Amino acid sequence: HSMFQIVVVMRNFKDSMVSYYYMLLAFQPFNFNESFDTYLCLHDNGDILHGDWFGFNLGWWNKYKDDKSVLFLTVRSLCLQR
């Protein structure tokens, strides 16, 4: 039985922004055809689906940073451990 019950894996900001932008372009129901600059402005204003990267990650961090049953990892740290 592991001491961790929740594992939170965070991607870095740049990777998340680029990936989410291309997902919006590719997923037809969103009907999104804006420039990357426009997308970043929408993100900064909190006008994108699922909220902004900072709010999401800070929400998890602030709620669980002292909880010993939660493990925070980054994608980069997982790649470096290979």
Side-chain angles (χ1 to χ4, degrees):
H1 171 325
S2 173
M3 62 185 209
F4 300 114
Q5 296 176 355
I6 300 172
V7 177
V8 180
V9 180
M10 295 186 216
R11 293 177 72 188
N12 76 31
F13 178 74
K14 181 181 174 184
D15 289 346
S16 294
M17 293 300 96
V18 171
S19 177
Y20 196 77
Y21 173 71
Y22 283 107
M23 189 269 311
L24 286 174
L25 289 177
F27 195 56
Q28 293 303 315
F30 290 136
N31 196 28
F32 186 83
N33 5 1
E34 301 293 336
S35 70
F36 190 74
D37 288 341
T38 300
Y39 162 73
L40 288 178
C41 288
L42 291 169
H43 176 272
D44 289 347
N45 292 330
D47 293 331
I48 61 169
L49 188 63
H50 305 301
D52 71 287
W53 182 91
F54 297 104
F56 177 83
N57 286 292
L58 282 175
W60 275 92
W61 178 255
N62 288 333
K63 185 169 183 174
Y64 294 107
K65 66 183 174 191
D66 298 320
D67 188 329
K68 300 299 183 207
S69 68
V70 179
L71 174 64
F72 285 92
L73 297 172
T74 63
V75 171
R76 181 176 169 83
S77 70
L78 292 173
C79 292
L80 292 175
Q81 292 177 12
R82 294 172 119 198

